[in-house]
Each structure stands twice: as C-alpha cells, then as structure tokens.
Amino acid sequence: STVTKISKLFLHHIYQAVWTPFEGQVLQLQREPLNPKDRFAVVVCLDGEIVGRVRIPAILAPTFPPFLARECNTIIATITDARVNRGAGLGLEVPCCYTLTGPKCYVQRARELLTHLN
C-alpha cells in the first residue's frame, strides 16, 4: 500500500558539495537512530550512500520517523523541481514528492496523519 505527499526536502547545506539534486531523481529516506544529536534523525540516500540529513519540517515530523521505525516501511523522495538555498544557514530546500510504502495498516495510519496536516 502507498501514500504520497507533496512537500520539500530540507537538507543541511554541508551536502551541497557532495550532491546536486535534479528533477526526477529518486532518493531513499532512512532513519539514523544512532545519531548522537537526534535519535529521530532521517538521512537521504542515493544508491546506498548518504547524501544528506533531513531537517524534517514540523508538519511531517509526527509521521516520518515513526513510519520508518518499522523495517517493512519505506519512504522515497522524487525531486520535482530545482533546489533553493535561502542562505542564513537554513540549508537547501528541494521540492519533492514523498512516497510512503508499507503494509496497509501502517500506510493507513500515515495517510490519516498526513490528511490532518493539510
């Protein structure tokens, strides 16, 4: 079962030297539970390599880390437009479409949370 959400990847600026996002690119999101600063941290991977750490917007924070806590669930982000760097240490904003996939019960719960956020 799947659910989609149009939003943005918010990435720390340090990764702009490692990776340049382009429209249509597909990335995987994964939890990083051993991150000493944030046990709910989520990383962005391209072909198995970390290319960024996500600053999850408050609107998506209740959904993504708990969803990814179940190994049977996945989230991919498909880049939909050019990145924006707003400066002032805010990092990159990359428009994307998130696709959450997993067993129906988990996807249904994610769908409910995302619906309430619109």
Side-chain angles (χ1 to χ4, degrees):
S1 190
T2 63
V3 63
T4 60
K5 173 74 176 167
I6 303 297
S7 187
K8 296 177 183 171
L9 279 169
F10 293 88
L11 302 166
H12 296 284
H13 69 281
I14 192 168
Y15 292 99
Q16 62 187 344
V18 176
W19 165 66
T20 302
F22 59 86
E23 190 172 345
Q25 192 171 38
V26 177
L27 307 160
Q28 302 81 34
L29 276 64
Q30 299 175 355
R31 285 189 65 227
E32 188 184 35
L34 299 179
N35 183 317
K37 294 182 181 183
D38 181 2
R39 65 186 180 103
F40 299 109
V42 175
V43 294
V44 178
C45 298
L46 176 63
D47 298 328
E49 286 193 45
I50 295 174
V51 295
R53 283 185 169 73
V54 180
R55 291 185 301 114
I56 299 176
I59 196 167
L60 299 175
T63 307
F64 283 13
F67 187 80
L68 287 171
R70 304 282 182 176
E71 289 186 19
C72 56
N73 297 333
T74 62
I75 301 177
I76 61 168
T78 303
I79 307 303
T80 59
D81 207 341
R83 72 181 187 182
V84 175
N85 188 344
R86 303 224 182 266
L90 297 175
L92 301 176
E93 290 182 18
V94 183
C96 70
C97 178
Y98 292 108
T99 303
L100 291 73
T101 304
K104 187 176 180 178
C105 59
Y106 298 122
V107 171
Q108 182 58 35
R109 178 68 181 139
R111 181 179 286 117
E112 290 168 5
L113 289 169
L114 293 172
T115 299
H116 293 302
L117 299 175
N118 288 335

